[in-house]
Amino acid sequence: QVQVVESGGGLVQPGGSLRLSCVVSGTFVDIRDMRWYRETPGQRDLIASISRRGVPNYADSVKGRFTISRDNAKNTVYLQMNSLKPEDTAVYSCKADVGRREFTGGTTYTFYWGQGTQVTVSS
């Protein structure tokens, strides 16, 4: 089994910062891409992703304000969020592309989601 757990959400004032974490645990052999999404009623957007080698990509809406990073030794991806705006309010979820060994010796990759963490930006 594989578990994905986010943490670090909360209430912050406009202009403030938060750091989200997402830890992958369980039985697996590899994690490829790790991604952060945010969800508001009726919409889910990919906002940042990072490859196994640490190459990041960002949505235009967060570029220059958010930074994604990962610690492969800890199976963890982070999202540092600065200069937060009320429109950043959402549930932030992590998705990881996790490889598990098959009995045949091959590796199968599957995306696993976390349960999400609420971020509220308000004065």
Side-chain angles (χ1 to χ4, degrees), residues 64-83:
R65 299 187 299 124
F66 292 8
T67 302
I68 189 171
S69 60
R70 65 189 285 173
D71 184 334
N72 291 334
K74 297 182 178 179
N75 301 316
T76 300
V77 63
Y78 304 98
L79 187 68
Q80 177 66 44
M81 306 186 295
N82 298 329
S83 302

Side-chain angles (χ1 to χ4, degrees), residues 39-71:
E39 186 170 1
T40 54
Q43 186 171 347
R44 177 188 285 168
D45 297 314
L46 172 64
I47 58 169
S49 65
I50 188 165
S51 70
R52 187 196 292 116
R53 295 187 176 185
V55 178
N57 280 287
Y58 301 96
D60 288 342
S61 60
V62 305
K63 199 172 293 183
R65 299 187 299 124
F66 292 8
T67 302
I68 189 171
S69 60
R70 65 189 285 173
D71 184 334

Side-chain angles (χ1 to χ4, degrees), residues 9 33 42-43 53 72 95 115 119:
D33 282 5
Q43 186 171 347
R53 295 187 176 185
N72 291 334
K95 185 167 82 169
Q115 81 291 348
V119 171

Side-chain angles (χ1 to χ4, degrees), residues 67 79 90 92 100 104 106 109 116:
T67 302
L79 187 68
Y92 285 71
R100 304 186 72 193
T104 57
Y109 287 86

Side-chain angles (χ1 to χ4, degrees), residues 11-17 82-88 120-123:
L11 173 64
V12 63
Q13 291 187 342
S17 298
N82 298 329
S83 302
L84 283 162
K85 306 174 182 180
E87 52 263 44
D88 294 318
T120 302
V121 185
S122 175
S123 55

